[in-house]
Amino acid sequence: MKTILVIEDSLEIRENVSELLELKGYNVVVANNGREGLEAAIKYQPDLIVCDILMPELNGHEVLITLKKCGETSAIPFIFLTASVEKREIKQGLELGAAAYIRKPFEDDELMEEIDRCLKNNN
């Protein structure tokens, strides 16, 4: 069973994404800020990470930069899930190594398609 880490400071979104992923058969680990997400990524070594950008402690870009520098987490596919619509933020996230960028609000199918694509590309 694949494990997905969801790093999201909004309780409602975190619970909705977690429930969707569990219904699709994934093991889900959650974190409610960037620092907790970073710790969970190192501890659980998930198959994929879905992460917000604007969060307390560490933002999503800082989380991704740190994970890419760490040998044991550098290859984990990373998807940004965020309300930010700034083109420079999208560009920055992709340049940092994110596999995808999904804007909130999002459709469940859109999220699942990107997750499936990222997991297939990482095999």
Side-chain angles (χ1 to χ4, degrees), residues 85-110:
V85 295
E86 296 287 325
K87 286 185 180 183
R88 65 180 169 76
E89 288 219 2
I90 296 170
K91 182 180 180 202
Q92 180 183 10
L94 295 174
E95 286 175 352
L96 290 172
Y101 190 104
I102 299 173
R103 291 185 183 142
K104 298 175 194 170
F106 61 92
E107 297 292 326
D108 293 352
D109 289 347
E110 176 187 14

mmCIF file of all heavy atoms in Angstrom, residues 85-110:
data_model
loop_
_atom_site.group_PDB
_atom_site.id
_atom_site.type_symbol
_atom_site.label_atom_id
_atom_site.label_comp_id
_atom_site.label_asym_id
_atom_site.label_seq_id
_atom_site.Cartn_x
_atom_site.Cartn_y
_atom_site.Cartn_z
ATOM 1 N N VAL A 85 -2.362 31.862 -6.607
ATOM 2 C CA VAL A 85 -2.490 31.840 -8.066
ATOM 3 C C VAL A 85 -1.422 32.697 -8.732
ATOM 4 O O VAL A 85 -1.482 32.949 -9.934
ATOM 5 C CB VAL A 85 -3.898 32.299 -8.520
ATOM 6 C CG1 VAL A 85 -4.949 31.328 -8.058
ATOM 7 C CG2 VAL A 85 -4.201 33.714 -8.040
ATOM 8 N N GLU A 86 -0.454 33.124 -7.963
ATOM 9 C CA GLU A 86 0.633 33.932 -8.504
ATOM 10 C C GLU A 86 1.482 33.099 -9.469
ATOM 11 O O GLU A 86 1.981 32.033 -9.095
ATOM 12 C CB GLU A 86 1.522 34.450 -7.376
ATOM 13 C CG GLU A 86 0.837 35.395 -6.427
ATOM 14 C CD GLU A 86 0.600 36.757 -7.032
ATOM 15 O OE1 GLU A 86 1.452 37.208 -7.822
ATOM 16 O OE2 GLU A 86 -0.444 37.351 -6.725
ATOM 17 N N LYS A 87 1.649 33.576 -10.681
ATOM 18 C CA LYS A 87 2.435 32.835 -11.670
ATOM 19 C C LYS A 87 3.868 32.629 -11.203
ATOM 20 O O LYS A 87 4.450 31.580 -11.430
ATOM 21 C CB LYS A 87 2.416 33.554 -13.020
ATOM 22 C CG LYS A 87 1.112 33.422 -13.747
ATOM 23 C CD LYS A 87 1.178 34.044 -15.117
ATOM 24 C CE LYS A 87 -0.171 33.869 -15.806
ATOM 25 N NZ LYS A 87 -0.165 34.389 -17.160
ATOM 26 N N ARG A 88 4.430 33.612 -10.515
ATOM 27 C CA ARG A 88 5.810 33.468 -10.034
ATOM 28 C C ARG A 88 5.922 32.369 -8.984
ATOM 29 O O ARG A 88 6.923 31.677 -8.915
ATOM 30 C CB ARG A 88 6.359 34.791 -9.519
ATOM 31 C CG ARG A 88 5.664 35.327 -8.300
ATOM 32 C CD ARG A 88 6.277 36.660 -7.841
ATOM 33 N NE ARG A 88 5.453 37.275 -6.839
ATOM 34 C CZ ARG A 88 5.399 36.887 -5.565
ATOM 35 N NH1 ARG A 88 6.151 35.891 -5.160
ATOM 36 N NH2 ARG A 88 4.612 37.490 -4.701
ATOM 37 N N GLU A 89 4.868 32.192 -8.171
ATOM 38 C CA GLU A 89 4.884 31.117 -7.171
ATOM 39 C C GLU A 89 4.805 29.752 -7.852
ATOM 40 O O GLU A 89 5.473 28.808 -7.434
ATOM 41 C CB GLU A 89 3.736 31.280 -6.169
ATOM 42 C CG GLU A 89 3.954 32.411 -5.229
ATOM 43 C CD GLU A 89 3.518 32.111 -3.825
ATOM 44 O OE1 GLU A 89 3.071 30.989 -3.543
ATOM 45 O OE2 GLU A 89 3.633 33.017 -2.997
ATOM 46 N N ILE A 90 3.975 29.652 -8.880
ATOM 47 C CA ILE A 90 3.874 28.397 -9.624
ATOM 48 C C ILE A 90 5.229 28.075 -10.255
ATOM 49 O O ILE A 90 5.745 26.964 -10.121
ATOM 50 C CB ILE A 90 2.782 28.488 -10.720
ATOM 51 C CG1 ILE A 90 1.408 28.679 -10.082
ATOM 52 C CG2 ILE A 90 2.809 27.248 -11.616
ATOM 53 C CD1 ILE A 90 0.314 29.028 -11.073
ATOM 54 N N LYS A 91 5.807 29.068 -10.913
ATOM 55 C CA LYS A 91 7.104 28.883 -11.561
ATOM 56 C C LYS A 91 8.166 28.491 -10.538
ATOM 57 O O LYS A 91 8.942 27.554 -10.762
ATOM 58 C CB LYS A 91 7.515 30.167 -12.287
ATOM 59 C CG LYS A 91 8.814 30.060 -13.032
ATOM 60 C CD LYS A 91 9.160 31.367 -13.737
ATOM 61 C CE LYS A 91 10.475 31.193 -14.463
ATOM 62 N NZ LYS A 91 11.143 32.436 -14.740
ATOM 63 N N GLN A 92 8.194 29.188 -9.404
ATOM 64 C CA GLN A 92 9.180 28.879 -8.375
ATOM 65 C C GLN A 92 9.011 27.452 -7.860
ATOM 66 O O GLN A 92 9.984 26.716 -7.717
ATOM 67 C CB GLN A 92 9.070 29.864 -7.212
ATOM 68 C CG GLN A 92 10.078 29.604 -6.112
ATOM 69 C CD GLN A 92 9.917 30.542 -4.916
ATOM 70 O OE1 GLN A 92 8.937 31.272 -4.807
ATOM 71 N NE2 GLN A 92 10.875 30.496 -4.027
ATOM 72 N N GLY A 93 7.775 27.047 -7.593
ATOM 73 C CA GLY A 93 7.529 25.694 -7.095
ATOM 74 C C GLY A 93 7.986 24.626 -8.063
ATOM 75 O O GLY A 93 8.606 23.640 -7.672
ATOM 76 N N LEU A 94 7.712 24.823 -9.340
ATOM 77 C CA LEU A 94 8.124 23.841 -10.342
ATOM 78 C C LEU A 94 9.640 23.838 -10.523
ATOM 79 O O LEU A 94 10.243 22.786 -10.700
ATOM 80 C CB LEU A 94 7.396 24.098 -11.656
ATOM 81 C CG LEU A 94 5.871 23.900 -11.599
ATOM 82 C CD1 LEU A 94 5.227 24.328 -12.913
ATOM 83 C CD2 LEU A 94 5.492 22.482 -11.236
ATOM 84 N N GLU A 95 10.252 25.021 -10.459
ATOM 85 C CA GLU A 95 11.713 25.090 -10.565
ATOM 86 C C GLU A 95 12.402 24.427 -9.373
ATOM 87 O O GLU A 95 13.508 23.891 -9.511
ATOM 88 C CB GLU A 95 12.167 26.544 -10.689
ATOM 89 C CG GLU A 95 11.878 27.146 -12.045
ATOM 90 C CD GLU A 95 12.207 28.631 -12.133
ATOM 91 O OE1 GLU A 95 12.520 29.259 -11.093
ATOM 92 O OE2 GLU A 95 12.139 29.169 -13.258
ATOM 93 N N LEU A 96 11.756 24.453 -8.225
ATOM 94 C CA LEU A 96 12.323 23.810 -7.032
ATOM 95 C C LEU A 96 12.237 22.285 -7.105
ATOM 96 O O LEU A 96 12.874 21.592 -6.334
ATOM 97 C CB LEU A 96 11.614 24.306 -5.769
ATOM 98 C CG LEU A 96 11.889 25.751 -5.376
ATOM 99 C CD1 LEU A 96 10.984 26.169 -4.220
ATOM 100 C CD2 LEU A 96 13.350 25.935 -4.996
ATOM 101 N N GLY A 97 11.423 21.784 -8.032
ATOM 102 C CA GLY A 97 11.342 20.342 -8.201
ATOM 103 C C GLY A 97 9.984 19.726 -7.943
ATOM 104 O O GLY A 97 9.849 18.503 -7.912
ATOM 105 N N ALA A 98 8.956 20.543 -7.757
ATOM 106 C CA ALA A 98 7.617 19.987 -7.579
ATOM 107 C C ALA A 98 7.184 19.284 -8.864
ATOM 108 O O ALA A 98 7.473 19.737 -9.964
ATOM 109 C CB ALA A 98 6.617 21.080 -7.221
ATOM 110 N N ALA A 99 6.490 18.168 -8.697
ATOM 111 C CA ALA A 99 6.021 17.406 -9.853
ATOM 112 C C ALA A 99 4.732 17.986 -10.432
ATOM 113 O O ALA A 99 4.433 17.796 -11.607
ATOM 114 C CB ALA A 99 5.795 15.949 -9.454
ATOM 115 N N ALA A 100 3.975 18.694 -9.586
ATOM 116 C CA ALA A 100 2.696 19.259 -10.033
ATOM 117 C C ALA A 100 2.290 20.396 -9.108
ATOM 118 O O ALA A 100 2.790 20.516 -7.993
ATOM 119 C CB ALA A 100 1.615 18.183 -10.057
ATOM 120 N N TYR A 101 1.344 21.182 -9.589
ATOM 121 C CA TYR A 101 0.854 22.339 -8.856
ATOM 122 C C TYR A 101 -0.651 22.374 -9.071
ATOM 123 O O TYR A 101 -1.106 22.559 -10.203
ATOM 124 C CB TYR A 101 1.508 23.595 -9.423
ATOM 125 C CG TYR A 101 1.277 24.848 -8.629
ATOM 126 C CD1 TYR A 101 2.278 25.375 -7.816
ATOM 127 C CD2 TYR A 101 0.070 25.536 -8.691
ATOM 128 C CE1 TYR A 101 2.087 26.536 -7.098
ATOM 129 C CE2 TYR A 101 -0.141 26.694 -7.980
ATOM 130 C CZ TYR A 101 0.875 27.192 -7.188
ATOM 131 O OH TYR A 101 0.673 28.336 -6.480
ATOM 132 N N ILE A 102 -1.419 22.175 -8.014
ATOM 133 C CA ILE A 102 -2.882 22.154 -8.112
ATOM 134 C C ILE A 102 -3.437 23.324 -7.309
ATOM 135 O O ILE A 102 -3.077 23.512 -6.143
ATOM 136 C CB ILE A 102 -3.453 20.821 -7.590
ATOM 137 C CG1 ILE A 102 -2.913 19.668 -8.428
ATOM 138 C CG2 ILE A 102 -4.975 20.849 -7.612
ATOM 139 C CD1 ILE A 102 -3.284 18.304 -7.899
ATOM 140 N N ARG A 103 -4.312 24.083 -7.945
ATOM 141 C CA ARG A 103 -4.907 25.240 -7.274
ATOM 142 C C ARG A 103 -6.172 24.853 -6.519
ATOM 143 O O ARG A 103 -6.984 24.071 -7.009
ATOM 144 C CB ARG A 103 -5.254 26.314 -8.299
ATOM 145 C CG ARG A 103 -4.049 26.955 -8.900
ATOM 146 C CD ARG A 103 -4.469 28.097 -9.814
ATOM 147 N NE ARG A 103 -3.280 28.664 -10.436
ATOM 148 C CZ ARG A 103 -3.239 29.087 -11.669
ATOM 149 N NH1 ARG A 103 -4.292 28.997 -12.444
ATOM 150 N NH2 ARG A 103 -2.139 29.605 -12.151
ATOM 151 N N LYS A 104 -6.319 25.444 -5.327
ATOM 152 C CA LYS A 104 -7.553 25.314 -4.548
ATOM 153 C C LYS A 104 -8.512 26.393 -5.028
ATOM 154 O O LYS A 104 -8.062 27.491 -5.329
ATOM 155 C CB LYS A 104 -7.287 25.542 -3.060
ATOM 156 C CG LYS A 104 -6.356 24.570 -2.407
ATOM 157 C CD LYS A 104 -6.133 25.030 -0.976
ATOM 158 C CE LYS A 104 -4.963 24.342 -0.332
ATOM 159 N NZ LYS A 104 -4.602 24.949 0.946
ATOM 160 N N PRO A 105 -9.785 26.140 -5.083
ATOM 161 C CA PRO A 105 -10.424 24.849 -4.864
ATOM 162 C C PRO A 105 -10.141 23.920 -6.038
ATOM 163 O O PRO A 105 -9.933 24.369 -7.162
ATOM 164 C CB PRO A 105 -11.909 25.194 -4.784
ATOM 165 C CG PRO A 105 -12.056 26.452 -5.573
ATOM 166 C CD PRO A 105 -10.756 27.189 -5.431
ATOM 167 N N PHE A 106 -10.130 22.650 -5.772
ATOM 168 C CA PHE A 106 -9.782 21.660 -6.783
ATOM 169 C C PHE A 106 -10.869 20.589 -6.836
ATOM 170 O O PHE A 106 -11.651 20.421 -5.898
ATOM 171 C CB PHE A 106 -8.431 21.013 -6.458
ATOM 172 C CG PHE A 106 -8.436 20.300 -5.136
ATOM 173 C CD1 PHE A 106 -8.752 18.953 -5.048
ATOM 174 C CD2 PHE A 106 -8.146 20.990 -3.964
ATOM 175 C CE1 PHE A 106 -8.776 18.308 -3.823
ATOM 176 C CE2 PHE A 106 -8.163 20.347 -2.741
ATOM 177 C CZ PHE A 106 -8.486 19.006 -2.670
ATOM 178 N N GLU A 107 -10.888 19.882 -7.934
ATOM 179 C CA GLU A 107 -11.798 18.745 -8.090
ATOM 180 C C GLU A 107 -11.073 17.486 -7.624
ATOM 181 O O GLU A 107 -9.864 17.343 -7.858
ATOM 182 C CB GLU A 107 -12.210 18.584 -9.564
ATOM 183 C CG GLU A 107 -12.973 19.757 -10.128
ATOM 184 C CD GLU A 107 -14.349 19.928 -9.512
ATOM 185 O OE1 GLU A 107 -14.980 18.904 -9.169
ATOM 186 O OE2 GLU A 107 -14.784 21.084 -9.362
ATOM 187 N N ASP A 108 -11.797 16.583 -6.996
ATOM 188 C CA ASP A 108 -11.192 15.327 -6.531
ATOM 189 C C ASP A 108 -10.498 14.586 -7.665
ATOM 190 O O ASP A 108 -9.389 14.073 -7.496
ATOM 191 C CB ASP A 108 -12.246 14.416 -5.889
ATOM 192 C CG ASP A 108 -12.800 14.976 -4.585
ATOM 193 O OD1 ASP A 108 -12.281 16.002 -4.085
ATOM 194 O OD2 ASP A 108 -13.760 14.380 -4.070
ATOM 195 N N ASP A 109 -11.143 14.551 -8.831
ATOM 196 C CA ASP A 109 -10.565 13.842 -9.982
ATOM 197 C C ASP A 109 -9.235 14.462 -10.407
ATOM 198 O O ASP A 109 -8.301 13.751 -10.775
ATOM 199 C CB ASP A 109 -11.527 13.850 -11.173
ATOM 200 C CG ASP A 109 -12.733 12.962 -10.957
ATOM 201 O OD1 ASP A 109 -12.723 12.147 -10.007
ATOM 202 O OD2 ASP A 109 -13.701 13.077 -11.738
ATOM 203 N N GLU A 110 -9.148 15.779 -10.359
ATOM 204 C CA GLU A 110 -7.921 16.480 -10.736
ATOM 205 C C GLU A 110 -6.781 16.067 -9.803
ATOM 206 O O GLU A 110 -5.677 15.746 -10.259
ATOM 207 C CB GLU A 110 -8.151 17.986 -10.649
ATOM 208 C CG GLU A 110 -6.927 18.821 -10.915
ATOM 209 C CD GLU A 110 -7.145 20.301 -10.658
ATOM 210 O OE1 GLU A 110 -8.143 20.690 -10.027
ATOM 211 O OE2 GLU A 110 -6.271 21.071 -11.102
#
